[in-house]
Amino acid sequence: MRTVGVVLCEGIRPFDYGVITEVWGVPRPACPGFELWRCGEAPVALQHGVTIAPDRPLNALTECDLVVVPGRVDALAPVSDAVLEALRAAHEAGVPIASLCAGAFVLGAAGLLDGRRAVTHWALTDALAERYPAARVQPDVLFAEDGGIWTSAGTAAGIDLCLHLVRQACGAAVANSIARRMVTAAHREGGQAQFVEHPVPVAATAQSAVADTLEWARHHLAEPLSVADLARRSGTAPRTFARHFTQLTGTTPAHWLIRQRVAEAQRLLETTDLAVEQVAARTGFGTATMLRRHFARVVGVPPTSYRRTFAGSSPNP
């Protein structure tokens, strides 16, 4: 991934445009030389008096390695035929297309969500499903992919998707480096259901206990941790800990541990010459077979293939 095209259309959200620019438009010597193209028909006015002028026409989207559509302030506002046609042409040319938050409505208007899984901000999921009934709207996940079309949930989930796309193309170390510069999590667990207002919020003391336990667990991944171990560390009963954990993170302790171990395995595969068996031991999987099984399920490729692609890609923080 080298050239990323951001679609400029009326009413795009400054936050979404800022996220895209921060991930792909800020030069960082330690990271690959991304080139961000601002593709549009004419200058567009954002909120608060900001105007952005395109530096490429819309037909340049077909030459990009990735196209990103920011969300818009009014999700239901009409989209110009030129933008919709340019998005369809990019998709037909095989270019992956991603939308942030309400940008899913732009993809829907272009017909790119028909028959595909899609997600948007939890407050807009019903509207998306009603307006584009052929889309398979997912109400809970932070982002989804289907047939080269990526969509993300609201606001901060756009950061999650952008970093995930960098991780896929450039490896975990590059994505982690960008995340550190942005002072954000390189990967968040769970779905957006955890952010919907709940009638019975988790107590602050429970939040602190879970957060402290997660930080401790990240430094003890090589140990054979269980939910009971984590609960004991937090000073709560296993069922109580699991309930608070899921409320706060949107996922289970067991799933969280697997993802953390896979992330650490990615780091070791990129930055060390350790054998797969040694990586398995250091990440708590125990055996190379278990590492391969979980790694392939989460990342999509075996550890050896991942190493061949990304070894030596670790940038300085």
Side-chain angles (χ1 to χ4, degrees), residues 78-91:
V79 186
S80 76
D81 290 339
V83 168
L84 300 180
E85 181 56 38
L87 287 170
R88 285 191 285 262
H91 178 62

Side-chain angles (χ1 to χ4, degrees), residues 227 231 237-244:
V227 176
R239 291 182 63 181
T240 301
F241 174 79
R243 184 175 70 253
H244 289 163

